[in-house]
């Protein structure tokens, strides 16, 4: 079946559903998928759109944790289903970073750290790029989610309250946040989940203001100082925009670190004669580069394989069959704690 035929059939089914259907796509999706979507954005932005809509069925073109967050936010006040549902066209599309933290392991780390360091409250903060199971553990212990865009505000809030923070699962994001807030490197201790007691001494734990889980995004964590040097040499005078999931030594060289939306906004406000080197997933970089002014080049082209799993053909298949394998349902017992985790962030 040709791509044009797939698009035509998707459109025909959409007309039948009308406002009862909403198709959402993450910025990192391929342009062929973006063309099928009602809205494109970052994961939390799209989940909030899902919650605010009246759509009965929401197709989320992204990875698992994104669809889970949407399902959490569309539930009723008691955390129960209210006749609305979330569907993921590529049900095997996960997130390697989200998989680096699970609920029981995070729970065990929180309990151990709480016993070792009793001088101040220990608050978990979890990156929104985490599973519903991890968000539920965070919410149960009074913690908050954060995004790459608001992470600095969330971390600063709890530090000002005198709390010590356990941050999961991205060590680079929280290390960059702490650096930008002016904290020295020794204020952050990295919890190695595969080592007894995280590989940390009691003294290291008590000295740290933030304990960083040792997870990372394989895409952004692969950028190097050499990549920056090569890109700057090839594009004299260009500004470097990089996602804060990049390692701290690399992020420190950027003219601006920011979320996908933050990067998009910087380029949207730019003068036509400016040039930007962008360090994030290549599907987004290519779309940003489609407009010749300002000029956008890639720091180093990297594709997220999981984001690339979704296709227009899979969207059509969901619309035609509503295969239960694509139906994303967070267990009821996790919903309220996971939602509390997200709502605390939204309240800050």
């Amino acid at each position: 079946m040709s791509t044009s035929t797939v698009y035509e059939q998707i459109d025909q089914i959409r007309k039948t559903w009308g406002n009862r259907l909403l198709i959402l796509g993450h910025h990192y999706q391929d342009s062929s998928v973006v063309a099928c979507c009602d809205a494109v954005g970052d994961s939390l932005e799209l989940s909030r759109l899902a919650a605010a809509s009246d759509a009965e069925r929401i197709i989320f073109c992204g990875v698992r944790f994104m669809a889970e967050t949407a399902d959490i936010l569309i539930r009723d006040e008691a955390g129960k289903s209210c006749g609305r549902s979330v569907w993921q066209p590529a049900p095997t599309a996960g997130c390697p970073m989200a998989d680096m933290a699970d609920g029981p392991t995070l729970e065990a780390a929180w309990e151990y750290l709480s016993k070792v360091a009793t001088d101040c409250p220990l608050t978990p903060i979890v990156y929104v790029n985490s599973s519903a199971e991890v968000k539920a553990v965070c919410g149960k212990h009074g913690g908050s989610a954060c995004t790459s865009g608001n992470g600095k505000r969330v971390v600063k809030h709890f530090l000002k309250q005198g709390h010590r923070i356990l941050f999961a699962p991205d060590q680079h994001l929280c290390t960059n946040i702490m650096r930008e807030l002016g904290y020295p490197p020794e204020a952050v201790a990295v919890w190695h989940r595969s080592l007894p007691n995280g590989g940390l001494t009691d003294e290291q734990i008590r000295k740290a203001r933030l304990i960083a889980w040792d997870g990372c995004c394989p895409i952004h964590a692969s950028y190097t100082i050499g990549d920056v040097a090569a890109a700057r040499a090839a594009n004299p005078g260009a500004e470097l925009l990089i996602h804060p999931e990049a390692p701290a030594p690399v992020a420190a060289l950027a003219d601006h670190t920011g979320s996908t939306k933050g990067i998009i906004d910087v380029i949207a406000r730019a003068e036509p004669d400016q040039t930007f080197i962008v360090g994030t997933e290549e599907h987004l970089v290519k779309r940003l580069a489609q407009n010749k002014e300002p000029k956008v080049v890639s720091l180093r082209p990297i594709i997220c394989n999981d984001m690339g799993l979704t296709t227009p053909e899979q969207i059509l298949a969901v619309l035609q069959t509503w295969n239960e394998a694509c139906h994303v349902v967070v267990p009821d017992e996790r919903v309220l704690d996971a939602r509390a985790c997200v709502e605390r962030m939204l309240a800050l």
Side-chain angles (χ1 to χ4, degrees):
M1 188 184 302
S2 69
T3 302
S4 61
T5 301
V6 171
Y7 287 155
E8 288 172 5
Q9 293 192 17
I10 290 174
D11 285 341
Q12 289 173 3
I13 297 172
R14 287 168 74 152
K15 289 175 183 177
T16 301
W17 278 86
N19 292 335
R20 296 181 297 134
L21 174 70
L22 181 65
I23 303 178
L24 303 174
H26 191 270
H27 285 304
Y28 294 166
Q29 290 293 300
D30 185 80
S31 294
S32 64
V33 172
V34 168
C36 303
C37 297
D38 297 303
V40 179
D42 61 27
S43 59
L44 186 62
E45 177 186 5
L46 293 175
S47 292
R48 293 173 78 171
L49 283 174
S53 79
D54 295 323
E56 295 174 17
R57 299 201 176 186
I58 297 151
I59 296 179
F60 208 123
C61 303
V63 297
R64 183 74 182 188
F65 77 81
M66 300 175 184
E68 286 185 340
T69 304
D71 182 52
I72 289 165
L73 293 179
I74 67 171
R75 301 291 189 96
D76 66 19
E77 291 184 1
K80 303 299 182 181
S81 173
C82 52
R84 307 175 67 204
S85 54
V86 178
W87 303 76
Q88 185 182 359
T92 61
C95 171
M97 176 170 61
D99 292 343
M100 293 177 191
D102 62 79
T105 307
L106 182 66
E107 178 77 44
W110 185 87
E111 290 179 358
Y112 176 79
L113 291 167
S114 296
K115 292 175 182 176
V116 169
T118 59
D119 57 313
C120 64
L122 177 70
T123 296
I125 295 177
V126 296
Y127 194 18
V128 75
N129 299 30
S130 58
S131 69
E133 179 186 56
V134 165
K135 289 183 178 75
V137 171
C138 178
K140 181 177 71 171
H141 292 298
S144 170
C146 80
T147 68
S148 53
N150 67 21
K152 191 188 302 184
R153 181 170 73 250
V154 174
V155 169
K156 184 178 180 180
H157 169 81
F158 286 102
L159 290 176
K160 286 183 68 176
Q161 299 280 329
H163 294 210
R164 182 177 285 106
I165 292 170
L166 171 60
F167 191 111
D170 187 1
Q171 64 175 306
H172 298 309
L173 174 62
C174 63
T175 300
N176 284 320
I177 287 171
M178 292 294 277
R179 174 180 56 81
E180 291 181 10
L181 288 175
Y183 285 87
E186 57 268 24
V188 178
V190 177
W191 179 271
H192 296 276
R193 62 192 185 280
S194 62
L195 298 178
N197 304 334
L200 297 173
T201 65
D202 290 358
E203 181 181 0
Q204 288 174 310
I205 292 169
R206 295 187 184 109
K207 186 177 180 180
R209 295 299 309 278
L210 184 148
I211 312 296
W213 203 260
D214 66 340
C216 67
C217 167
I219 299 297
H220 296 109
S222 70
Y223 289 124
T224 67
I225 292 174
D227 291 333
V228 174
R232 287 202 185 277
N235 302 276
E239 289 188 39
L240 173 61
L241 312 180
I242 196 164
H243 199 282
E245 292 172 8
V250 178
L253 298 175
D255 297 291
H256 175 83
T257 58
S259 63
T260 49
K261 183 178 186 304
I263 290 171
I264 291 168
D265 288 347
V266 168
I267 293 172
R269 295 192 301 264
E271 298 296 327
D273 61 348
Q274 286 185 263
T275 298
F276 294 96
I277 303 164
V278 177
T280 193
E281 208 275 346
E282 188 66 10
H283 285 123
L284 173 60
V285 178
K286 283 184 176 179
R287 280 197 295 279
L288 292 172
Q290 285 176 353
N291 296 322
K292 302 302 181 183
E293 296 178 342
K295 182 181 178 182
V296 173
V297 298
S298 181
L299 175 58
R300 177 164 55 84
I302 311 177
I303 295 289
C304 173
N305 292 330
D306 283 272
M307 283 290 188
L309 291 176
T310 306
T311 65
E313 288 77 9
Q314 288 173 315
I315 296 172
L316 177 58
V318 171
L319 291 169
Q320 290 175 329
T321 67
W322 299 106
N323 186 341
E324 275 298 313
C326 300
H327 189 190
V328 178
V329 183
V330 175
D332 288 351
E333 63 270 18
R334 291 178 184 162
V335 171
L336 291 181
D337 283 332
R339 190 163 67 195
C341 166
V342 176
E343 288 180 343
R344 286 190 190 102
M345 171 189 69
L346 298 176
L348 293 178

